[in-house]
Amino acid sequence: MAARQMSVSSENAEQEMDYLRFGYSYEDIQNMAQNILKRTKHKPLLGIICGSGLGGLADLVDQPDIIPYSTIPDFPVSTVPGHVGKLVFGLLKGKPVVLMRGRFHYYEGYPMWKVAMPVRVMKAMGITTLIVTNAAGGINSTFNRGDIMIIKDHIDLPGLTGECVLIGKNDTRFGPRFPATVDIYDKELRDVAKQVATELGYGHILREGTYVMIGGPTFETVAEGKLLKMFGADAVGMSTVPEAVVAKHTGIKTFGISLITDLLAMEYDQATVTTHEDVLAIGQQRADDLQKLISAFVERIPL
Ligand code: HPA
């Protein structure tokens, strides 16, 4: 927070209020990006946000430059087990990438704008495409634990109820006041992923569907699970949507993928208790498959 505190004394009260309510200014984001880029030899074109237990992808990155969040002024730190808290720059299948090992969640107490701030920083560093991964609970009754779901669309439940990540003053240098979100998960990228998954023999675990974001940190009650199903959601989680919305707003192509770590109970007599440990355990089992899929996907996509 050092840089932010230094600037507080020289800014007027109104600017400070804007920061507290709406987050980093365009200039703050550009400065943060330039300062981070000074610490790596790479110039990333692709950003990857690793979900719970899915950070192993970083081990596939060649010539890595690793920057812990705690060493970046004004960058939040992730407080969740399974989220390490490092930026990893390097080459994945020869393509320049930046990986976030550890993301920020609304349920940690961060405002939405802070949860998605790294996406704006990645844009300022030059990325054109973003891959978001997450662990999610399966709602669709045909899903199994360990399935991989390509995100076709999402339901921004916090957004629909007044906590959209883009609430607040809009700086059009980031993007338009009223962005369209109908095509938020790029169709071409989804098609490439399906093709690659089939080639790798993952057709039987591959799904496509709608992800609904809840605020968390509670997992759903049976009644809430039924409600989310009625909404048309196939999987539920506590992340991804603010990042995808900010990416769309700022003109980044997005591809999203969920690892189905548990299935929601839709009846009281089948209710099993989901724990964060369950979520991490299945992540480890399927991590290899998901890593292979993502690296083959990265090799294939144009940047
Ligand atoms: N609900 C919400 N978030 C989750 C779940 C779930 O069942 N599983 C993994 N993340």
Side-chain angles (χ1 to χ4, degrees), residues 114-164:
K114 203 171 233 183
V115 167
M117 170 277 284
V119 177
R120 286 186 171 164
V121 174
M122 287 195 269
K123 165 80 178 184
M125 292 193 298
I127 75 155
T128 57
T129 306
L130 178 69
I131 300 176
V132 276
T133 71
N134 61 51
I139 295 175
N140 185 315
S141 56
T142 67
F143 284 10
N144 299 306
R145 281 186 85 200
D147 282 351
I148 290 172
M149 184 186 90
I150 294 173
I151 304 178
K152 179 176 184 177
D153 198 356
H154 73 218
I155 298 172
D156 181 0
L157 209 50
L160 293 178
T161 53
E163 278 288 344
C164 179

Side-chain angles (χ1 to χ4, degrees), residues 16-286:
E16 187 54 16
M17 280 300 291
D18 279 357
Y19 168 72
L20 291 173
R21 291 176 62 209
F22 310 130
Y24 303 80
S25 68
Y26 186 79
E27 288 74 18
D28 288 339
I29 296 287
Q30 302 304 314
N31 289 338
M32 205 185 289
Q34 292 317 314
N35 286 331
I36 295 170
L37 281 179
K38 281 185 200 145
R39 299 172 61 184
T40 172
K41 54 190 170 299
H42 300 286
K43 184 88 180 64
L45 290 174
L46 172 70
I48 304 178
I49 302 180
C50 302
S52 291
L54 301 174
L57 198 60
D59 299 335
L60 301 181
V61 170
D62 295 323
Q63 302 171 32
D65 290 327
I66 298 173
I67 304 182
Y69 298 163
S70 57
T71 66
I72 306 172
D74 290 340
F75 216 76
V77 286
S78 178
T79 63
V80 188
H83 287 262
V84 174
K86 290 173 181 168
L87 288 181
V88 180
F89 290 85
L91 299 174
L92 184 57
K93 295 283 177 184
K95 306 236 167 107
V97 298
V98 53
L99 265 93
M100 281 185 73
R101 286 205 66 178
R103 58 148 60 90
F104 311 113
H105 303 85
Y106 186 63
Y107 64 74
E108 293 176 81
Y110 294 120
M112 282 293 184
W113 55 259
K114 203 171 233 183
V115 167
M117 170 277 284
V119 177
R120 286 186 171 164
V121 174
M122 287 195 269
K123 165 80 178 184
M125 292 193 298
I127 75 155
T128 57
T129 306
L130 178 69
I131 300 176
V132 276
T133 71
N134 61 51
I139 295 175
N140 185 315
S141 56
T142 67
F143 284 10
N144 299 306
R145 281 186 85 200
D147 282 351
I148 290 172
M149 184 186 90
I150 294 173
I151 304 178
K152 179 176 184 177
D153 198 356
H154 73 218
I155 298 172
D156 181 0
L157 209 50
L160 293 178
T161 53
E163 278 288 344
C164 179
V165 65
L166 298 178
I167 292 246
K169 279 189 184 170
N170 187 61
D171 187 326
T172 50
R173 289 173 294 178
F174 286 129
R177 171 74 287 185
F178 299 109
T181 56
V182 275
D183 54 353
I184 201 157
Y185 300 95
D186 190 82
K187 168 131 182 12
E188 270 174 45
L189 294 180
R190 285 188 282 122
D191 287 345
V192 173
K194 282 181 228 172
Q195 178 74 33
V196 170
T198 309
E199 287 168 19
L200 289 173
Y202 297 154
H204 61 295
I205 55 165
L206 191 74
R207 313 280 178 211
E208 189 174 43
T210 298
Y211 175 91
V212 60
M213 180 192 177
I214 57 165
T218 51
F219 292 111
E220 309 69 32
T221 64
V222 173
E224 287 163 350
K226 288 181 175 176
L227 179 74
L228 298 176
K229 188 171 191 170
M230 269 170 30
F231 283 165
D234 297 294
V236 54
M238 305 174 192
S239 67
T240 301
V241 166
E243 297 147 353
V245 169
V246 163
K248 176 71 189 172
H249 183 237
T250 198
I252 294 171
K253 272 194 206 173
T254 298
F255 172 72
I257 201 152
S258 296
L259 178 62
I260 305 299
T261 53
D262 55 278
L263 300 176
L264 268 62
M266 293 292 167
E267 301 298 336
Y268 290 94
D269 57 6
Q270 355 156 315
T272 48
V273 176
T274 300
T275 65
H276 187 60
E277 288 67 36
D278 294 337
V279 170
L280 292 181
I282 194 95
Q284 276 152 18
Q285 287 165 27
R286 271 280 183 250

